[in-house]
Amino acid sequence: KLKDQQSKTISKEKLDEIFGISHHSYDTIKTRRSLIINTINRNARIKIERVRSQIDKRFIDYKIS
C-alpha cells in the first residue's frame, strides 16, 4: 500500500489507516506509528519523511519516497 502512495504527501490519519493502527488509542497510535516508520526507514527501500503541513504548520504530514 505504501508503494501506491510513493512521491506523495499524506496525512497522519491516512498513514495510520495504511498501517492498520487507526483503531487504537491516541498514545498507542503515536508509539506504533513511530516504531513502524523507523523500521521502514531502516530496512526498506521506501523512506518516510515527516514534513510540516502546508495548510497548518502545527500538524505533520508524511512524504513517501
PDB file of all heavy atoms in Angstrom, residues 5-38:
ATOM      1  N   GLN A   5       1.453   4.994  -2.702  1.00  0.00           N
ATOM      2  CA  GLN A   5       1.498   6.380  -2.227  1.00  0.00           C
ATOM      3  C   GLN A   5       2.843   7.050  -2.484  1.00  0.00           C
ATOM      4  O   GLN A   5       3.064   8.168  -2.044  1.00  0.00           O
ATOM      5  CB  GLN A   5       1.197   6.422  -0.724  1.00  0.00           C
ATOM      6  CG  GLN A   5      -0.119   5.853  -0.324  1.00  0.00           C
ATOM      7  CD  GLN A   5      -1.297   6.615  -0.905  1.00  0.00           C
ATOM      8  OE1 GLN A   5      -1.252   7.820  -1.060  1.00  0.00           O
ATOM      9  NE2 GLN A   5      -2.349   5.884  -1.240  1.00  0.00           N
ATOM     10  N   GLN A   6       3.746   6.376  -3.175  1.00  0.00           N
ATOM     11  CA  GLN A   6       5.092   6.892  -3.385  1.00  0.00           C
ATOM     12  C   GLN A   6       5.049   8.241  -4.099  1.00  0.00           C
ATOM     13  O   GLN A   6       4.214   8.469  -4.968  1.00  0.00           O
ATOM     14  CB  GLN A   6       5.930   5.898  -4.184  1.00  0.00           C
ATOM     15  CG  GLN A   6       7.364   5.887  -3.750  1.00  0.00           C
ATOM     16  CD  GLN A   6       8.073   4.616  -4.178  1.00  0.00           C
ATOM     17  OE1 GLN A   6       7.508   3.745  -4.785  1.00  0.00           O
ATOM     18  NE2 GLN A   6       9.333   4.534  -3.857  1.00  0.00           N
ATOM     19  N   SER A   7       5.943   9.140  -3.730  1.00  0.00           N
ATOM     20  CA  SER A   7       6.061  10.502  -4.258  1.00  0.00           C
ATOM     21  C   SER A   7       4.857  11.362  -3.898  1.00  0.00           C
ATOM     22  O   SER A   7       4.578  12.341  -4.568  1.00  0.00           O
ATOM     23  CB  SER A   7       6.258  10.494  -5.776  1.00  0.00           C
ATOM     24  OG  SER A   7       7.396   9.756  -6.118  1.00  0.00           O
ATOM     25  N   LYS A   8       4.153  11.002  -2.847  1.00  0.00           N
ATOM     26  CA  LYS A   8       3.011  11.783  -2.390  1.00  0.00           C
ATOM     27  C   LYS A   8       3.220  12.188  -0.941  1.00  0.00           C
ATOM     28  O   LYS A   8       4.008  11.583  -0.221  1.00  0.00           O
ATOM     29  CB  LYS A   8       1.715  10.968  -2.478  1.00  0.00           C
ATOM     30  CG  LYS A   8       1.277  10.640  -3.872  1.00  0.00           C
ATOM     31  CD  LYS A   8      -0.033   9.894  -3.826  1.00  0.00           C
ATOM     32  CE  LYS A   8      -0.470   9.498  -5.221  1.00  0.00           C
ATOM     33  NZ  LYS A   8      -1.721   8.714  -5.185  1.00  0.00           N
ATOM     34  N   THR A   9       2.477  13.204  -0.537  1.00  0.00           N
ATOM     35  CA  THR A   9       2.438  13.600   0.863  1.00  0.00           C
ATOM     36  C   THR A   9       1.057  13.247   1.391  1.00  0.00           C
ATOM     37  O   THR A   9       0.053  13.631   0.799  1.00  0.00           O
ATOM     38  CB  THR A   9       2.702  15.113   1.005  1.00  0.00           C
ATOM     39  OG1 THR A   9       3.976  15.409   0.428  1.00  0.00           O
ATOM     40  CG2 THR A   9       2.711  15.527   2.457  1.00  0.00           C
ATOM     41  N   ILE A  10       1.030  12.503   2.492  1.00  0.00           N
ATOM     42  CA  ILE A  10      -0.251  12.063   3.042  1.00  0.00           C
ATOM     43  C   ILE A  10      -0.366  12.483   4.502  1.00  0.00           C
ATOM     44  O   ILE A  10       0.634  12.752   5.173  1.00  0.00           O
ATOM     45  CB  ILE A  10      -0.436  10.532   2.908  1.00  0.00           C
ATOM     46  CG1 ILE A  10       0.653   9.772   3.654  1.00  0.00           C
ATOM     47  CG2 ILE A  10      -0.481  10.113   1.459  1.00  0.00           C
ATOM     48  CD1 ILE A  10       0.441   8.270   3.676  1.00  0.00           C
ATOM     49  N   SER A  11      -1.585  12.524   4.985  1.00  0.00           N
ATOM     50  CA  SER A  11      -1.837  12.917   6.376  1.00  0.00           C
ATOM     51  C   SER A  11      -1.527  11.758   7.315  1.00  0.00           C
ATOM     52  O   SER A  11      -1.421  10.606   6.896  1.00  0.00           O
ATOM     53  CB  SER A  11      -3.304  13.325   6.541  1.00  0.00           C
ATOM     54  OG  SER A  11      -4.138  12.199   6.368  1.00  0.00           O
ATOM     55  N   LYS A  12      -1.419  12.075   8.587  1.00  0.00           N
ATOM     56  CA  LYS A  12      -1.139  11.017   9.560  1.00  0.00           C
ATOM     57  C   LYS A  12      -2.318  10.068   9.677  1.00  0.00           C
ATOM     58  O   LYS A  12      -2.126   8.882   9.929  1.00  0.00           O
ATOM     59  CB  LYS A  12      -0.741  11.587  10.917  1.00  0.00           C
ATOM     60  CG  LYS A  12      -1.839  12.244  11.700  1.00  0.00           C
ATOM     61  CD  LYS A  12      -1.323  12.704  13.041  1.00  0.00           C
ATOM     62  CE  LYS A  12      -2.431  13.364  13.820  1.00  0.00           C
ATOM     63  NZ  LYS A  12      -1.987  13.833  15.110  1.00  0.00           N
ATOM     64  N   GLU A  13      -3.539  10.559   9.479  1.00  0.00           N
ATOM     65  CA  GLU A  13      -4.716   9.693   9.537  1.00  0.00           C
ATOM     66  C   GLU A  13      -4.677   8.645   8.423  1.00  0.00           C
ATOM     67  O   GLU A  13      -4.970   7.474   8.655  1.00  0.00           O
ATOM     68  CB  GLU A  13      -6.004  10.521   9.438  1.00  0.00           C
ATOM     69  CG  GLU A  13      -6.284  11.380  10.653  1.00  0.00           C
ATOM     70  CD  GLU A  13      -5.521  12.697  10.664  1.00  0.00           C
ATOM     71  OE1 GLU A  13      -4.919  13.072   9.621  1.00  0.00           O
ATOM     72  OE2 GLU A  13      -5.513  13.356  11.719  1.00  0.00           O
ATOM     73  N   LYS A  14      -4.315   9.075   7.217  1.00  0.00           N
ATOM     74  CA  LYS A  14      -4.210   8.150   6.078  1.00  0.00           C
ATOM     75  C   LYS A  14      -3.083   7.141   6.327  1.00  0.00           C
ATOM     76  O   LYS A  14      -3.234   5.951   6.051  1.00  0.00           O
ATOM     77  CB  LYS A  14      -3.961   8.943   4.791  1.00  0.00           C
ATOM     78  CG  LYS A  14      -3.767   8.111   3.567  1.00  0.00           C
ATOM     79  CD  LYS A  14      -5.049   7.476   3.119  1.00  0.00           C
ATOM     80  CE  LYS A  14      -4.821   6.749   1.802  1.00  0.00           C
ATOM     81  NZ  LYS A  14      -5.936   5.910   1.435  1.00  0.00           N
ATOM     82  N   LEU A  15      -1.962   7.603   6.874  1.00  0.00           N
ATOM     83  CA  LEU A  15      -0.851   6.706   7.175  1.00  0.00           C
ATOM     84  C   LEU A  15      -1.253   5.674   8.231  1.00  0.00           C
ATOM     85  O   LEU A  15      -0.925   4.488   8.096  1.00  0.00           O
ATOM     86  CB  LEU A  15       0.351   7.514   7.654  1.00  0.00           C
ATOM     87  CG  LEU A  15       1.670   6.768   7.777  1.00  0.00           C
ATOM     88  CD1 LEU A  15       2.152   6.300   6.412  1.00  0.00           C
ATOM     89  CD2 LEU A  15       2.717   7.633   8.423  1.00  0.00           C
ATOM     90  N   ASP A  16      -2.014   6.100   9.240  1.00  0.00           N
ATOM     91  CA  ASP A  16      -2.487   5.177  10.269  1.00  0.00           C
ATOM     92  C   ASP A  16      -3.405   4.112   9.679  1.00  0.00           C
ATOM     93  O   ASP A  16      -3.352   2.949  10.078  1.00  0.00           O
ATOM     94  CB  ASP A  16      -3.218   5.933  11.385  1.00  0.00           C
ATOM     95  CG  ASP A  16      -2.292   6.831  12.181  1.00  0.00           C
ATOM     96  OD1 ASP A  16      -1.063   6.643  12.103  1.00  0.00           O
ATOM     97  OD2 ASP A  16      -2.804   7.733  12.880  1.00  0.00           O
ATOM     98  N   GLU A  17      -4.244   4.509   8.714  1.00  0.00           N
ATOM     99  CA  GLU A  17      -5.107   3.530   8.031  1.00  0.00           C
ATOM    100  C   GLU A  17      -4.275   2.511   7.263  1.00  0.00           C
ATOM    101  O   GLU A  17      -4.562   1.310   7.300  1.00  0.00           O
ATOM    102  CB  GLU A  17      -6.051   4.237   7.061  1.00  0.00           C
ATOM    103  CG  GLU A  17      -7.196   4.952   7.721  1.00  0.00           C
ATOM    104  CD  GLU A  17      -8.070   5.653   6.707  1.00  0.00           C
ATOM    105  OE1 GLU A  17      -8.190   5.163   5.567  1.00  0.00           O
ATOM    106  OE2 GLU A  17      -8.618   6.713   7.056  1.00  0.00           O
ATOM    107  N   ILE A  18      -3.255   2.972   6.569  1.00  0.00           N
ATOM    108  CA  ILE A  18      -2.381   2.075   5.803  1.00  0.00           C
ATOM    109  C   ILE A  18      -1.688   1.095   6.742  1.00  0.00           C
ATOM    110  O   ILE A  18      -1.589  -0.095   6.449  1.00  0.00           O
ATOM    111  CB  ILE A  18      -1.351   2.880   4.983  1.00  0.00           C
ATOM    112  CG1 ILE A  18      -2.059   3.652   3.868  1.00  0.00           C
ATOM    113  CG2 ILE A  18      -0.276   1.975   4.397  1.00  0.00           C
ATOM    114  CD1 ILE A  18      -1.173   4.640   3.142  1.00  0.00           C
ATOM    115  N   PHE A  19      -1.219   1.584   7.886  1.00  0.00           N
ATOM    116  CA  PHE A  19      -0.538   0.725   8.849  1.00  0.00           C
ATOM    117  C   PHE A  19      -1.509  -0.167   9.620  1.00  0.00           C
ATOM    118  O   PHE A  19      -1.085  -1.111  10.288  1.00  0.00           O
ATOM    119  CB  PHE A  19       0.266   1.558   9.854  1.00  0.00           C
ATOM    120  CG  PHE A  19       1.480   2.243   9.283  1.00  0.00           C
ATOM    121  CD1 PHE A  19       2.037   3.333   9.935  1.00  0.00           C
ATOM    122  CD2 PHE A  19       2.079   1.815   8.115  1.00  0.00           C
ATOM    123  CE1 PHE A  19       3.158   3.971   9.444  1.00  0.00           C
ATOM    124  CE2 PHE A  19       3.195   2.447   7.602  1.00  0.00           C
ATOM    125  CZ  PHE A  19       3.730   3.529   8.271  1.00  0.00           C
ATOM    126  N   GLY A  20      -2.795   0.141   9.588  1.00  0.00           N
ATOM    127  CA  GLY A  20      -3.792  -0.657  10.295  1.00  0.00           C
ATOM    128  C   GLY A  20      -3.815  -0.421  11.792  1.00  0.00           C
ATOM    129  O   GLY A  20      -4.112  -1.321  12.573  1.00  0.00           O
ATOM    130  N   ILE A  21      -3.503   0.808  12.198  1.00  0.00           N
ATOM    131  CA  ILE A  21      -3.442   1.111  13.633  1.00  0.00           C
ATOM    132  C   ILE A  21      -4.459   2.163  14.046  1.00  0.00           C
ATOM    133  O   ILE A  21      -4.448   2.616  15.189  1.00  0.00           O
ATOM    134  CB  ILE A  21      -2.021   1.567  14.046  1.00  0.00           C
ATOM    135  CG1 ILE A  21      -1.585   2.806  13.267  1.00  0.00           C
ATOM    136  CG2 ILE A  21      -1.028   0.434  13.894  1.00  0.00           C
ATOM    137  CD1 ILE A  21      -0.277   3.409  13.723  1.00  0.00           C
ATOM    138  N   SER A  22      -5.343   2.562  13.154  1.00  0.00           N
ATOM    139  CA  SER A  22      -6.258   3.678  13.437  1.00  0.00           C
ATOM    140  C   SER A  22      -7.302   3.360  14.504  1.00  0.00           C
ATOM    141  O   SER A  22      -7.934   4.263  15.027  1.00  0.00           O
ATOM    142  CB  SER A  22      -6.937   4.147  12.156  1.00  0.00           C
ATOM    143  OG  SER A  22      -7.611   3.082  11.537  1.00  0.00           O
ATOM    144  N   HIS A  23      -7.485   2.101  14.849  1.00  0.00           N
ATOM    145  CA  HIS A  23      -8.484   1.734  15.848  1.00  0.00           C
ATOM    146  C   HIS A  23      -7.951   1.757  17.279  1.00  0.00           C
ATOM    147  O   HIS A  23      -8.708   1.588  18.222  1.00  0.00           O
ATOM    148  CB  HIS A  23      -9.051   0.340  15.539  1.00  0.00           C
ATOM    149  CG  HIS A  23      -8.027  -0.747  15.610  1.00  0.00           C
ATOM    150  ND1 HIS A  23      -7.130  -0.979  14.588  1.00  0.00           N
ATOM    151  CD2 HIS A  23      -7.743  -1.643  16.577  1.00  0.00           C
ATOM    152  CE1 HIS A  23      -6.341  -1.991  14.937  1.00  0.00           C
ATOM    153  NE2 HIS A  23      -6.695  -2.413  16.135  1.00  0.00           N
ATOM    154  N   HIS A  24      -6.659   2.007  17.470  1.00  0.00           N
ATOM    155  CA  HIS A  24      -6.061   2.047  18.808  1.00  0.00           C
ATOM    156  C   HIS A  24      -6.256   3.417  19.452  1.00  0.00           C
ATOM    157  O   HIS A  24      -6.701   4.359  18.814  1.00  0.00           O
ATOM    158  CB  HIS A  24      -4.558   1.747  18.715  1.00  0.00           C
ATOM    159  CG  HIS A  24      -4.246   0.340  18.298  1.00  0.00           C
ATOM    160  ND1 HIS A  24      -4.455  -0.744  19.113  1.00  0.00           N
ATOM    161  CD2 HIS A  24      -3.749  -0.158  17.151  1.00  0.00           C
ATOM    162  CE1 HIS A  24      -4.092  -1.848  18.484  1.00  0.00           C
ATOM    163  NE2 HIS A  24      -3.665  -1.511  17.277  1.00  0.00           N
ATOM    164  N   SER A  25      -5.866   3.534  20.710  1.00  0.00           N
ATOM    165  CA  SER A  25      -5.935   4.826  21.405  1.00  0.00           C
ATOM    166  C   SER A  25      -4.862   5.772  20.853  1.00  0.00           C
ATOM    167  O   SER A  25      -3.900   5.351  20.202  1.00  0.00           O
ATOM    168  CB  SER A  25      -5.727   4.632  22.910  1.00  0.00           C
ATOM    169  OG  SER A  25      -4.388   4.283  23.176  1.00  0.00           O
ATOM    170  N   TYR A  26      -5.019   7.050  21.146  1.00  0.00           N
ATOM    171  CA  TYR A  26      -4.124   8.081  20.609  1.00  0.00           C
ATOM    172  C   TYR A  26      -2.656   7.811  20.946  1.00  0.00           C
ATOM    173  O   TYR A  26      -1.790   7.872  20.067  1.00  0.00           O
ATOM    174  CB  TYR A  26      -4.554   9.454  21.150  1.00  0.00           C
ATOM    175  CG  TYR A  26      -3.662  10.581  20.716  1.00  0.00           C
ATOM    176  CD1 TYR A  26      -3.725  11.085  19.424  1.00  0.00           C
ATOM    177  CD2 TYR A  26      -2.744  11.135  21.601  1.00  0.00           C
ATOM    178  CE1 TYR A  26      -2.899  12.117  19.016  1.00  0.00           C
ATOM    179  CE2 TYR A  26      -1.909  12.171  21.204  1.00  0.00           C
ATOM    180  CZ  TYR A  26      -1.996  12.658  19.912  1.00  0.00           C
ATOM    181  OH  TYR A  26      -1.169  13.670  19.512  1.00  0.00           O
ATOM    182  N   ASP A  27      -2.360   7.526  22.205  1.00  0.00           N
ATOM    183  CA  ASP A  27      -0.970   7.291  22.617  1.00  0.00           C
ATOM    184  C   ASP A  27      -0.392   6.038  21.974  1.00  0.00           C
ATOM    185  O   ASP A  27       0.776   6.013  21.575  1.00  0.00           O
ATOM    186  CB  ASP A  27      -0.863   7.189  24.140  1.00  0.00           C
ATOM    187  CG  ASP A  27      -1.085   8.529  24.814  1.00  0.00           C
ATOM    188  OD1 ASP A  27      -0.759   9.567  24.198  1.00  0.00           O
ATOM    189  OD2 ASP A  27      -1.593   8.541  25.950  1.00  0.00           O
ATOM    190  N   THR A  28      -1.197   4.993  21.858  1.00  0.00           N
ATOM    191  CA  THR A  28      -0.744   3.757  21.219  1.00  0.00           C
ATOM    192  C   THR A  28      -0.456   3.998  19.745  1.00  0.00           C
ATOM    193  O   THR A  28       0.544   3.506  19.210  1.00  0.00           O
ATOM    194  CB  THR A  28      -1.800   2.647  21.378  1.00  0.00           C
ATOM    195  OG1 THR A  28      -2.079   2.469  22.770  1.00  0.00           O
ATOM    196  CG2 THR A  28      -1.328   1.341  20.780  1.00  0.00           C
ATOM    197  N   ILE A  29      -1.309   4.774  19.088  1.00  0.00           N
ATOM    198  CA  ILE A  29      -1.105   5.090  17.670  1.00  0.00           C
ATOM    199  C   ILE A  29       0.216   5.830  17.483  1.00  0.00           C
ATOM    200  O   ILE A  29       0.990   5.506  16.581  1.00  0.00           O
ATOM    201  CB  ILE A  29      -2.287   5.923  17.117  1.00  0.00           C
ATOM    202  CG1 ILE A  29      -3.532   5.066  17.002  1.00  0.00           C
ATOM    203  CG2 ILE A  29      -1.945   6.533  15.764  1.00  0.00           C
ATOM    204  CD1 ILE A  29      -4.783   5.836  16.633  1.00  0.00           C
ATOM    205  N   LYS A  30       0.470   6.840  18.333  1.00  0.00           N
ATOM    206  CA  LYS A  30       1.719   7.600  18.220  1.00  0.00           C
ATOM    207  C   LYS A  30       2.936   6.694  18.340  1.00  0.00           C
ATOM    208  O   LYS A  30       3.877   6.786  17.557  1.00  0.00           O
ATOM    209  CB  LYS A  30       1.784   8.679  19.311  1.00  0.00           C
ATOM    210  CG  LYS A  30       1.070   9.929  18.976  1.00  0.00           C
ATOM    211  CD  LYS A  30       1.090  10.980  20.077  1.00  0.00           C
ATOM    212  CE  LYS A  30       2.357  11.104  20.858  1.00  0.00           C
ATOM    213  NZ  LYS A  30       2.361  12.183  21.824  1.00  0.00           N
ATOM    214  N   THR A  31       2.917   5.821  19.331  1.00  0.00           N
ATOM    215  CA  THR A  31       4.051   4.932  19.574  1.00  0.00           C
ATOM    216  C   THR A  31       4.245   3.955  18.422  1.00  0.00           C
ATOM    217  O   THR A  31       5.356   3.795  17.914  1.00  0.00           O
ATOM    218  CB  THR A  31       3.837   4.150  20.887  1.00  0.00           C
ATOM    219  OG1 THR A  31       3.630   5.081  21.944  1.00  0.00           O
ATOM    220  CG2 THR A  31       5.030   3.274  21.191  1.00  0.00           C
ATOM    221  N   ARG A  32       3.173   3.310  18.004  1.00  0.00           N
ATOM    222  CA  ARG A  32       3.276   2.321  16.931  1.00  0.00           C
ATOM    223  C   ARG A  32       3.659   2.967  15.612  1.00  0.00           C
ATOM    224  O   ARG A  32       4.438   2.415  14.851  1.00  0.00           O
ATOM    225  CB  ARG A  32       1.976   1.544  16.796  1.00  0.00           C
ATOM    226  CG  ARG A  32       1.778   0.613  17.958  1.00  0.00           C
ATOM    227  CD  ARG A  32       0.660  -0.340  17.720  1.00  0.00           C
ATOM    228  NE  ARG A  32       0.491  -1.173  18.917  1.00  0.00           N
ATOM    229  CZ  ARG A  32      -0.311  -2.191  18.981  1.00  0.00           C
ATOM    230  NH1 ARG A  32      -1.047  -2.518  17.956  1.00  0.00           N
ATOM    231  NH2 ARG A  32      -0.409  -2.883  20.088  1.00  0.00           N
ATOM    232  N   ARG A  33       3.098   4.145  15.302  1.00  0.00           N
ATOM    233  CA  ARG A  33       3.439   4.842  14.062  1.00  0.00           C
ATOM    234  C   ARG A  33       4.941   5.145  14.027  1.00  0.00           C
ATOM    235  O   ARG A  33       5.613   4.912  13.028  1.00  0.00           O
ATOM    236  CB  ARG A  33       2.639   6.129  13.925  1.00  0.00           C
ATOM    237  CG  ARG A  33       2.886   6.827  12.600  1.00  0.00           C
ATOM    238  CD  ARG A  33       2.223   8.201  12.466  1.00  0.00           C
ATOM    239  NE  ARG A  33       0.930   8.321  13.069  1.00  0.00           N
ATOM    240  CZ  ARG A  33       0.653   9.156  14.080  1.00  0.00           C
ATOM    241  NH1 ARG A  33       1.591   9.915  14.606  1.00  0.00           N
ATOM    242  NH2 ARG A  33      -0.558   9.214  14.574  1.00  0.00           N
ATOM    243  N   SER A  34       5.463   5.628  15.134  1.00  0.00           N
ATOM    244  CA  SER A  34       6.886   5.944  15.216  1.00  0.00           C
ATOM    245  C   SER A  34       7.744   4.693  15.010  1.00  0.00           C
ATOM    246  O   SER A  34       8.723   4.724  14.255  1.00  0.00           O
ATOM    247  CB  SER A  34       7.191   6.579  16.566  1.00  0.00           C
ATOM    248  OG  SER A  34       8.563   6.831  16.687  1.00  0.00           O
ATOM    249  N   LEU A  35       7.380   3.601  15.671  1.00  0.00           N
ATOM    250  CA  LEU A  35       8.140   2.355  15.521  1.00  0.00           C
ATOM    251  C   LEU A  35       8.098   1.830  14.084  1.00  0.00           C
ATOM    252  O   LEU A  35       9.121   1.411  13.542  1.00  0.00           O
ATOM    253  CB  LEU A  35       7.599   1.295  16.478  1.00  0.00           C
ATOM    254  CG  LEU A  35       7.869   1.510  17.962  1.00  0.00           C
ATOM    255  CD1 LEU A  35       7.108   0.492  18.799  1.00  0.00           C
ATOM    256  CD2 LEU A  35       9.348   1.435  18.251  1.00  0.00           C
ATOM    257  N   ILE A  36       6.924   1.867  13.478  1.00  0.00           N
ATOM    258  CA  ILE A  36       6.775   1.367  12.112  1.00  0.00           C
ATOM    259  C   ILE A  36       7.576   2.232  11.134  1.00  0.00           C
ATOM    260  O   ILE A  36       8.283   1.706  10.269  1.00  0.00           O
ATOM    261  CB  ILE A  36       5.287   1.310  11.703  1.00  0.00           C
ATOM    262  CG1 ILE A  36       4.554   0.252  12.533  1.00  0.00           C
ATOM    263  CG2 ILE A  36       5.141   1.009  10.218  1.00  0.00           C
ATOM    264  CD1 ILE A  36       3.044   0.291  12.407  1.00  0.00           C
ATOM    265  N   ILE A  37       7.489   3.559  11.283  1.00  0.00           N
ATOM    266  CA  ILE A  37       8.230   4.463  10.392  1.00  0.00           C
ATOM    267  C   ILE A  37       9.730   4.237  10.532  1.00  0.00           C
ATOM    268  O   ILE A  37      10.453   4.145   9.533  1.00  0.00           O
ATOM    269  CB  ILE A  37       7.864   5.931  10.669  1.00  0.00           C
ATOM    270  CG1 ILE A  37       6.449   6.205  10.176  1.00  0.00           C
ATOM    271  CG2 ILE A  37       8.855   6.883  10.006  1.00  0.00           C
ATOM    272  CD1 ILE A  37       5.910   7.563  10.567  1.00  0.00           C
ATOM    273  N   ASN A  38      10.220   4.138  11.755  1.00  0.00           N
ATOM    274  CA  ASN A  38      11.655   3.918  11.961  1.00  0.00           C
ATOM    275  C   ASN A  38      12.109   2.586  11.378  1.00  0.00           C
ATOM    276  O   ASN A  38      13.181   2.499  10.779  1.00  0.00           O
ATOM    277  CB  ASN A  38      12.002   3.999  13.446  1.00  0.00           C
ATOM    278  CG  ASN A  38      11.928   5.411  13.964  1.00  0.00           C
ATOM    279  OD1 ASN A  38      12.096   6.364  13.222  1.00  0.00           O
ATOM    280  ND2 ASN A  38      11.641   5.551  15.244  1.00  0.00           N
TER     281      ASN A  38
END
